[in-house]
Amino acid sequence: MWQSLLGRLRLRDINSGVYGGRWLDRPSGETIESLNPATGEVLARVLLGGENDYDVVAGNSLAAFAAWRKMPPPQRGEIVRLIGEQLRKHKDDLGMLVTLEAGKIRSEGLGEVQEMIDMCDFAVGLSRQLYGLTIASERPEHRLFEQWHPLGPVGVITAFNFPVAVWAWNAALALVCGDPVIWKPSQLTPLTAIAVQQLVNDILEPRGLAGVLNLCAADRDVGEQMAADGRLPLVSATGSTAMGKSVAKTVAERLGRSLLELGGNNGCIVTESADLDLALRAILFAAVGTAGQRCTTLRRLIVHESHAEQLVTRLTKAYQNITVGLPWEEGTLLGPLISESAVKQYTTAITTIKQQGGEVLCGGKQIDRAGYYVQPTIVRAKPAMEIIKHETFAPILYVLTYRELEEAIALHNGVPQGLSSAIFTDRFREAEQFLSPWGSDCGIANVNLGPSGAEIGGAFGGEKETGGGREAGSDAWKTYMRRQTCTLNFGKTLPLAQGVKFDVGV
């Protein structure tokens, strides 16, 4: 199955993970294996780029910026539209490749490609809406306004769990804003990145736009090189909090900009008035979807004590009915973790949970089969357990109870991360309190739906150790541009602001 898929996506004969206006025949990095996490078998081998290869790519990207920024934004939008159509044409194959390389179930693999397509559609409209403001000037016969200009080449570092969608969040916006992109994908999912680069090249190269979108599949050293590179005014990085702190420090030292999408440790409050049937369905997807490897995965369930036993009983029964299997097979709901290392993190977390006084209600074990599978797990937790303050990238759900909503919100906010949050309630006041400035401290707050599965129309991102970045919709585009405040004097006098007088008799 997958051999013919790689052939259709022109991956069979590609051994280079570096594109900077053209494919590099012999990059200087190491050769890695892309594994199918559902079986452990090798999909392909990829030759990574090294620091010298990156330098070539960055130079070509900077050269491309000189011409790309001069193209009118609607014309840049037309290029993005064509890229979206190219992705739409190959949606099934790309979706299957996401499933094979990242382990997502089939509908999630297709959904990720659809997210790329949706971002292209969004960006096309945006290309005609890069608005500045006209501002009331205090001086007569003056016009005060702001405008937005392209920023420069943008570095995009993505993670394995959304191997192509997060690139699209950044690339589609950066392109219409006038910025070329250099993409460093996860070493765990290089094939999806190479496939996407192959497809966009078909749009860019015939139009003389090679170098506008670039790829450098490489190791951590190149990521650090990108963070330190003054040619990149913006570096967008998705990954762990530790990685984000390193990127932020390096970029800040050169006074650049960083856009960070880091760890999530997301909570959901189920109140006394909640519709439990609705909550149950939402919890299942949010806690188990993508095998718990979303940054928006539900990790902490905070339930009113009146519902705790009933909801836990129903959840436990539902967990036992989750179909575990090969992610490309119909009916599978739980696929593998990404790697053997991820499995080890899961088993270590289970040991720590027990040591800290948590009770494993279901799951808690690695599944004995080929690939990297673990059981979806529910834990009765205590607020004092240190582990609940940290994100384990696996399907582990901690259940806590509360009496008063203020207590629940305090439990919810009492972690270092602040990405996504949810509450289930049929009471207007509870919903409004959760959404108030003294409610959820997260970048995303939902009422009567889970914390996972954001739409691209809203800005995506979180607070605290989640990094503060915003990507995708709303006004996230402003991150990829530089603001310029302009004053135009169309009179014959020179009044100064704030009434300042400076007469020198000339």
Side-chain angles (χ1 to χ4, degrees):
M1 173 189 70
W2 56 266
Q3 290 91 343
S4 60
L5 172 69
L6 298 186
R8 290 196 299 276
L9 290 171
R10 290 171 292 159
L11 294 171
R12 183 173 292 155
D13 300 321
I14 288 289
N15 65 356
S16 170
V18 182
Y19 180 88
R22 63 178 180 84
W23 290 102
L24 270 67
D25 293 330
R26 293 299 304 172
S28 59
E30 63 178 333
T31 298
I32 63 168
E33 294 178 339
S34 173
L35 301 180
N36 180 342
T39 63
E41 66 183 323
V42 176
L43 293 170
R45 293 175 177 85
V46 177
L47 184 56
L48 300 180
E51 294 183 10
N52 291 336
D53 303 314
Y54 165 75
D55 195 57
V56 171
V57 171
N60 288 344
S61 182
L62 190 63
F65 177 55
W68 182 248
R69 64 184 172 181
K70 294 180 180 178
M71 184 180 290
Q75 291 184 23
R76 299 195 293 254
E78 172 62 12
I79 298 299
V80 174
R81 185 189 71 79
L82 295 173
I83 291 172
E85 289 301 311
Q86 179 82 328
L87 296 173
R88 185 176 276 109
K89 187 188 308 181
H90 296 277
K91 177 180 175 179
D92 284 348
D93 284 346
L94 281 175
M96 181 60 81
L97 185 58
V98 171
T99 292
L100 287 170
E101 193 174 40
K104 291 187 173 185
I105 63 172
R106 188 77 174 106
S107 65
E108 289 194 76
L110 290 168
E112 179 157 358
V113 179
Q114 185 61 48
E115 199 160 352
M116 287 199 292
I117 296 166
D118 291 345
M119 275 306 307
C120 288
D121 289 347
F122 178 86
V124 172
L126 178 65
S127 69
R128 295 178 182 272
Q129 301 179 73
L130 302 174
Y131 298 142
L133 296 174
T134 297
I135 304 162
S137 175
E138 66 186 65
R139 291 173 283 186
E141 298 183 309
H142 281 61
R143 181 161 68 91
L144 178 61
F145 63 98
E146 68 177 26
Q147 58 185 358
W148 296 86
H149 292 307
L151 185 62
V154 174
V156 178
I157 301 172
T158 58
F160 76 86
N161 60 328
F162 279 86
V164 289
V166 174
W167 167 82
W169 292 357
N170 287 274
L173 296 190
L175 286 182
V176 298
C177 290
D179 306 329
V181 171
I182 302 172
W183 181 13
K184 181 195 170 300
S186 168
Q187 287 181 251
L188 296 171
T189 52
L191 294 183
T192 51
I194 295 171
V196 169
Q197 185 69 54
Q198 290 271 33
L199 294 174
V200 301
N201 286 350
D202 291 343
I203 302 299
L204 298 176
E205 289 180 350
R207 293 166 175 81
L209 298 172
V212 171
L213 288 176
N214 307 277
L215 176 69
C216 191
D219 62 15
R220 178 176 176 174
D221 289 345
V222 169
E224 293 173 351
Q225 187 179 2
M226 291 173 70
D229 190 349
R231 291 172 292 186
L232 305 185
L234 172 66
V235 175
S236 173
T238 301
S240 69
T241 297
M243 180 274 285
K245 287 180 177 179
S246 175
V247 168
K249 180 180 178 180
T250 303
V251 174
E253 285 176 346
R254 61 176 176 85
L255 299 181
R257 299 186 196 177
S258 56
L259 193 168
L260 303 175
E261 297 288 356
L262 311 177
N265 189 3
N266 312 293
C268 174
I269 298 171
V270 178
T271 70
E272 189 177 12
S273 68
D275 180 334
L276 294 189
D277 292 336
L278 189 66
L280 180 67
R281 295 197 298 273
I283 293 164
L284 286 169
F285 171 69
V288 180
T290 325
Q293 297 174 118
R294 287 179 176 237
C295 50
T296 54
T297 291
L298 174 60
R299 310 208 182 273
R300 297 173 299 123
L301 182 63
I302 304 165
V303 188
H304 191 272
E305 60 184 12
S306 64
H307 291 316
E309 290 304 317
Q310 178 188 357
L311 186 56
V312 166
T313 298
R314 293 181 65 183
L315 273 173
T316 301
K317 183 178 179 181
Y319 267 47
Q320 293 168 350
N321 291 328
I322 290 171
T323 304
V324 180
L326 298 174
W328 53 85
E329 290 185 346
E330 188 72 27
T332 296
L333 294 179
L334 181 67
L337 295 183
I338 189 63
S339 66
E340 185 63 41
S341 174
V343 173
K344 183 173 177 54
Q345 290 175 8
Y346 167 88
T347 55
T348 300
I350 297 299
T351 300
T352 303
I353 287 165
K354 294 175 180 177
Q355 291 171 345
Q356 294 182 2
E359 179 186 359
V360 176
L361 301 177
C362 73
K365 296 180 181 179
Q366 181 178 357
I367 298 174
D368 185 14
R369 60 177 294 166
Y372 310 123
Y373 289 85
V374 299
Q375 295 175 337
T377 303
I378 300 175
V379 174
R380 196 188 305 276
K382 302 173 183 178
M385 291 170 60
E386 179 64 23
I387 194 170
I388 68 174
K389 296 180 181 179
H390 304 279
E391 181 183 45
T392 300
F393 230 48
I396 301 174
L397 178 64
Y398 302 108
V399 180
L400 304 117
T401 60
Y402 78 95
R403 289 185 179 180
E404 302 295 333
L405 185 58
E406 291 77 9
E407 175 192 1
I409 292 175
L411 275 174
H412 178 278
N413 293 349
V415 297
Q417 308 84 1
L419 178 52
S420 190
S421 60
I423 189 171
F424 281 83
T425 178
D426 279 352
R427 292 175 181 161
F428 174 80
R429 287 180 177 175
E430 289 179 333
E432 287 293 335
Q433 186 171 346
F434 184 71
L435 299 177
S436 73
W438 54 92
S440 167
D441 64 358
C442 294
I444 299 170
N446 297 331
V447 176
N448 291 334
L449 69 159
S452 192
E455 298 181 34
I456 61 101
F460 180 91
E463 302 301 322
K464 302 190 294 187
E465 287 194 357
T466 300
R470 293 298 184 275
E471 293 174 322
S474 186
D475 63 348
W477 61 271
K478 293 180 179 179
T479 305
Y480 305 86
M481 304 197 82
R482 59 181 178 90
R483 184 198 307 254
Q484 188 176 77
T485 301
C486 307
T487 307
L488 191 156
N489 177 6
F490 57 92
K492 294 187 176 181
T493 60
L494 195 70
L496 301 177
Q498 294 84 46
V500 172
K501 303 296 182 182
F502 196 81
D503 296 324
V504 294
V506 295

